[in-house]
């Protein structure tokens, strides 16, 4: 599952292929949409939740509120079912999906970070990220990415900076599951299911506030 972008995406993977999936794009309703999506996917596959043997969750980068919905849900499933929970960079999932769609490297991935910024990373190919994810204004990285295809909604939003925008725009849980299965089969360690924020949340406790006491 992944809730790091406006897409709320869930898939059930059997070790070889996606057997059921759901994806809805709504940046403000992650909490409302995720569990019904899980229920739909399980019903479509004809299995119950206790059949799940592991959970893969996108760790971002993404906005604080949406991202934590998926991470908390994944952690809850892991605890309730006593199964491992694996984290995977959301941008890696998008890169992998682009590769499945035929895109060859090098290229970049960019998602909407709001505040007129993008979360982005550069890839040598669909499986190989060449640096850590970052958050920047499109104009500030346009020269560094000049001539490269850029995958994701961030590229679509800022065509002046990323003229060669490619799909998919949003991550799909099926791609996350397939990439995770591939890496686990190769003996690679996946990420801890901890959020990759890259910047502080918008809501913060005021540094100086008045203390009101009754007279």
């Amino acid at each position: 599952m992944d809730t790091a972008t406006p897409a709320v995406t869930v898939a059930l993977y059997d070790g070889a292929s996606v057997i059921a999936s759901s994806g809805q794009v709504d940046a403000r309703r992650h909490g409302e949409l995720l569990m019904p999506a899980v229920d739909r996917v399980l019903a479509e596959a004809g299995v119950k939740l206790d059949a799940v043997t592991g959970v893969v969750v996108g760790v971002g980068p993404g906005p604080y509120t949406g991202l934590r919905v998926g991470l908390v849900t994944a952690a809850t499933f892991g605890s309730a079912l006593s199964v491992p929970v694996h984290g995977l960079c959301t941008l890696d999932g998008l890169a992998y999906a682009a590769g499945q769609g035929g895109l060859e490297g090098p290229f970049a991935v960019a998602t909407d970070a709001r505040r007129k910024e993008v979360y982005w990373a550069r890839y040598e190919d669909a499986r190989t990220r060449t640096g850590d994810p970052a958050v920047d204004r499109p104009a500030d990285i346009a020269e560094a990415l000049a001539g490269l295809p850029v995958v994701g909604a961030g590229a679509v939003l800022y065509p002046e900076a990323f003229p060669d925008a490619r799909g998919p725009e949003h991550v799909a849980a099926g791609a996350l599951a397939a990439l995770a299965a591939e890496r686990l089969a190769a003996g690679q360690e996946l990420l801890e299911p901890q959020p990759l924020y890259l910047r502080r949340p918008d809501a913060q406790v005021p540094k100086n506030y008045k203390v009101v006491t009754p007279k």
Side-chain angles (χ1 to χ4, degrees), residues 4-208:
T5 74
V8 178
T9 176
V10 177
L12 193 64
Y13 194 80
D14 67 0
S17 61
V18 175
I19 56 176
S21 64
S22 172
Q24 294 170 275
V25 178
D26 191 327
R28 298 186 179 185
R29 299 177 62 220
H30 294 85
E32 298 174 44
L33 296 175
L34 182 57
M35 283 307 302
V38 171
D39 290 340
R40 281 196 306 274
V41 165
L42 292 172
E44 181 181 336
V47 300
K48 295 183 179 180
L49 184 60
D50 60 9
V52 172
T53 58
V55 180
V56 175
V57 61
V59 300
Y64 177 78
T65 303
L67 179 54
R68 66 179 179 174
V69 170
L71 288 165
V72 169
T73 302
T76 301
F77 285 167
S79 177
L81 301 172
S82 297
V83 299
V85 180
H86 304 288
L88 200 65
C89 175
T90 298
L91 301 181
D92 289 359
L94 263 168
Y96 186 79
Q100 289 181 315
L103 180 61
E104 298 180 354
F107 60 88
V109 172
T111 60
D112 182 18
R114 304 174 188 174
R115 305 183 193 174
K116 298 182 179 180
E117 294 178 329
V118 293
Y119 297 117
W120 70 282
R122 188 167 179 161
Y123 292 80
E124 188 63 32
D125 55 52
R127 294 173 173 83
T128 311
R129 179 159 34 88
T130 58
D132 292 331
V135 58
D136 287 289
R137 289 183 177 273
D140 294 340
I141 59 174
E143 184 175 349
L145 300 183
L148 291 180
V150 183
V151 175
V156 175
L157 284 171
Y158 302 101
E160 67 285 355
F162 312 120
D164 190 4
R166 304 288 183 93
E169 288 189 32
H170 300 291
V171 68
L176 284 175
L179 177 58
E182 186 177 292
R183 289 180 174 176
L184 289 171
Q188 300 178 28
E189 291 188 9
L190 300 186
L191 300 175
E192 291 295 319
Q194 300 296 324
L196 182 60
Y197 291 130
L198 299 188
R199 65 186 181 203
R200 296 180 181 275
D202 291 330
Q204 298 184 25
V205 177
K207 293 181 179 179
N208 299 307

